Amino acid sequence: MAEFSDQPMTPPKEQYYGFFPGKYTTAYLESYVDNHVYSGQTIRDRVLFNSNVDCIIEISQPDSAKGAHWEITYNTTQKIRTSKVIDATGMTSQPQIPTLPGSSYFKGKTLHHKSFGQSQALLLKDPSIQSICIIGGAKSAADVAYACTKSPLERKVHWIIRQDGNGPSAFFAAPAMTERYANSNEGFYNRFLASFLPNQFGNRWGWLKWLLQRTVLGRWYAKRLWDGFDKGLRAFHEYHREDGKEKGFANLEYDTPSGVCNHPDFLSAIAKNVQIHRRNISHLSEHSITLEACTSNSPEKSKPLTLPVDALVYCTGWSAHSNIFPTHIAFDLGLPVPLRDADPQRQAHWEDLEKTADAVVISQFPNLKNPPAYRKIEPVETPFRLYRAMAPPSDSTHSIVFLGKMVVGNNFRVAEAQAI
């Protein structure tokens, strides 16, 4: 799942059930861009490095001679006019960093997990950093926490997961349930298992999907299957293990699945070396962070808690909002824009279409009508409205397409399919 079909990757010796450090993927991609030559130029030759796109606008009166429909401004003053645009910025280009009270007073080091790979060696070898605080509940936070446990210097590591959020992620065991797959991640991405999930994609197992999603007996069986899987996963984590009680490992009991334990000592290293807090953040000070008192259902004590912090790592995900298109163009293209900037009449039209579509989806997948309890987040942006997650909903010129605007675990396969 970490290679393109036209250039197989040599499996690294340093791996755990098919999972390996990112440096091997980097080396593979470096080789890929050098080995693919078109019209005498490699892919690397065609890349403008150290260049930032500032803005992409649609040309109001296209250049008929050159067929240009778009103008791209990059590095502040440089411009390109082109007839076709492929936006491959994906979903992980713009870090999402929350604005915490008192953040302007904080004097320690701050970074987003996007930069952790490049900063890791310096950060973890800096003797002035005695306490690291990680904010976030997903796999990126777990990876940073694990890396901190492998630091050559002894230091305090705190992992904060807010109490009113969607909670921490579950991390699947690395081995697959059958020998057919190299690991559990590969085992999840197949057409057969997709039948057990309410989704519109794939018809190869259409009869099985109908049985499992549309009939009472099928839905009962699917629920039993997932309940058993959930029970087994919680047992695998051993949230109440003895070696994790002192550090609050029970605070990691998951609400949403999102990742794999890609090291043999992944859970034990975190349980023994990372202090885990399930609390909301009150504010930052010059060299500390204060957490609010816990609610009654938390295993932690109820009083506010202040922690000394020398470095703060935000593992808080990514913003889906694109800042390279003007708002009105982004809305036309089907990209997310702030709700306050959306045209009210057109937004109402889209909401009517969504209600109609929701009724169709619920009729096909009745379980979605009454989902389990979850924390509903009120939207502040419009959703993606790309056709097949790639094309604008209306584009008579067929001059622009978007790649990678989805969150999946098998990115290489999706990228290859979209490129076709």
Side-chain angles (χ1 to χ4, degrees):
M1 291 177 66
E3 62 185 4
F4 295 116
S5 62
D6 62 339
Q7 181 175 315
M9 181 183 192
T10 302
K13 294 181 179 180
E14 182 187 359
Q15 62 171 288
Y16 175 66
Y17 287 101
F19 296 103
F20 44 81
K23 62 184 180 182
Y24 295 106
T25 301
T26 300
Y28 171 79
L29 293 175
E30 292 270 6
S31 170
Y32 193 91
V33 298
D34 289 332
N35 290 340
H36 286 71
V37 182
Y38 306 95
S39 301
Q41 285 187 305
T42 65
I43 294 177
R44 187 189 297 273
D45 294 333
R46 298 167 182 270
V47 177
L48 295 177
F49 292 101
N50 300 314
S51 299
N52 295 314
V53 174
D54 302 303
C55 185
I56 301 177
I57 61 172
E58 194 171 11
I59 300 172
S60 57
Q61 294 182 337
D63 188 332
S64 58
K66 297 182 179 180
H69 291 284
W70 301 93
E71 182 177 88
I72 302 170
T73 302
Y74 68 99
N75 291 349
T76 308
T77 59
Q78 303 297 309
K79 295 183 184 295
I80 295 176
R81 285 198 165 195
T82 180
S83 59
K84 304 288 184 181
V85 170
I86 299 175
D87 180 332
T89 53
M91 299 290 287
T92 56
S93 290
Q94 297 185 71
Q96 180 169 275
I97 299 178
T99 302
L100 301 177
S103 58
S104 60
Y105 300 107
F106 183 64
K107 293 185 177 180
K109 295 185 178 181
T110 61
L111 67 153
H112 186 267
H113 68 84
K114 175 182 180 179
S115 308
F116 184 77
Q118 295 174 321
S119 307
Q120 177 179 347
L122 293 176
L123 185 72
L124 299 184
K125 292 180 181 179
D126 188 342
S128 68
I129 298 177
Q130 296 296 309
S131 178
I132 296 177
C133 181
I134 302 160
I135 297 176
K139 183 58 165 56
S140 59
D143 286 337
V144 172
Y146 178 82
C148 289
T149 69
K150 302 302 178 181
S151 167
L153 302 177
E154 191 173 328
R155 54 169 56 90
K156 292 281 186 181
V157 182
H158 297 276
W159 181 0
I160 300 172
I161 303 168
R162 63 177 179 157
Q163 198 167 10
D164 63 355
N166 281 325
S169 298
F171 309 118
F172 302 121
M177 289 183 285
T178 70
E179 295 182 356
R180 182 176 182 178
Y181 302 103
N183 52 61
S184 58
N185 201 37
E186 285 193 5
F188 276 109
Y189 289 96
N190 62 75
R191 285 172 288 190
F192 174 75
L193 193 61
S195 303
F196 288 80
L197 300 170
N199 73 89
Q200 298 278 10
F201 302 105
N203 294 314
R204 182 174 181 180
W205 298 91
W207 64 269
L208 180 60
K209 185 187 296 184
W210 176 87
L211 177 66
L212 294 171
Q213 303 296 334
R214 301 287 294 275
T215 69
V216 174
L217 180 63
R219 293 199 298 274
W220 172 84
Y221 176 77
K223 185 177 185 303
R224 285 283 302 261
L225 179 77
W226 290 118
D227 285 348
F229 181 78
D230 175 74
K231 184 178 180 180
L233 191 58
R234 293 179 190 275
F236 164 74
H237 281 79
E238 296 181 275
Y239 289 110
H240 301 281
R241 59 177 69 197
E242 287 296 323
D243 61 359
K245 286 184 176 179
E246 183 182 347
K247 297 291 187 180
F249 189 72
N251 285 318
L252 267 189
E253 187 151 12
Y254 66 84
D255 292 329
T256 53
S258 168
V260 176
C261 297
N262 48 355
H263 298 278
D265 63 339
F266 190 81
L267 293 174
S268 59
I270 291 175
K272 295 175 183 178
N273 301 291
V274 180
Q275 187 71 51
I276 301 165
H277 308 274
R278 188 76 184 271
R279 296 178 178 233
N280 293 333
I281 296 172
S282 171
H283 63 274
L284 286 167
S285 301
E286 289 187 355
H287 298 286
S288 66
I289 185 169
T290 299
L291 309 181
E292 294 179 0
C294 301
T295 58
S296 58
N297 62 349
S298 171
E300 293 193 72
K301 296 179 180 179
S302 61
K303 294 182 179 180
L305 177 65
T306 298
L307 306 170
V309 178
D310 300 311
L312 197 59
V313 184
Y314 289 98
C315 298
T316 47
W318 310 90
S319 172
H321 176 64
S322 175
N323 61 0
I324 60 176
F325 292 94
T327 300
H328 68 284
I329 294 179
F331 187 79
D332 291 343
L333 293 174
L335 302 177
V337 301
L339 282 173
R340 64 177 182 274
D341 296 331
D343 179 85
Q345 186 174 357
R346 296 175 65 192
Q347 178 63 12
H349 173 68
W350 274 111
E351 290 174 356
D352 288 340
L353 293 176
E354 288 163 5
K355 287 179 182 178
T356 302
D358 283 346
V360 174
V361 171
I362 289 174
S363 69
Q364 295 177 349
F365 306 105
N367 275 345
L368 297 180
K369 186 176 182 179
N370 298 299
Y374 68 102
R375 175 177 173 264
K376 187 175 182 179
I377 302 175
E378 291 300 323
V380 295
E381 294 180 333
T382 60
F384 280 101
R385 293 177 174 132
L386 297 170
Y387 178 72
R388 301 290 190 185
M390 293 178 64
S394 59
D395 175 25
S396 59
T397 65
H398 299 149
S399 60
I400 188 167
V401 72
F402 298 88
L403 306 183
K405 295 296 187 184
M406 58 179 70
V407 179
V408 294
N410 51 350
N411 289 289
F412 276 81
R413 294 177 185 172
V414 170
E416 191 162 358
Q418 287 189 328
I420 294 173

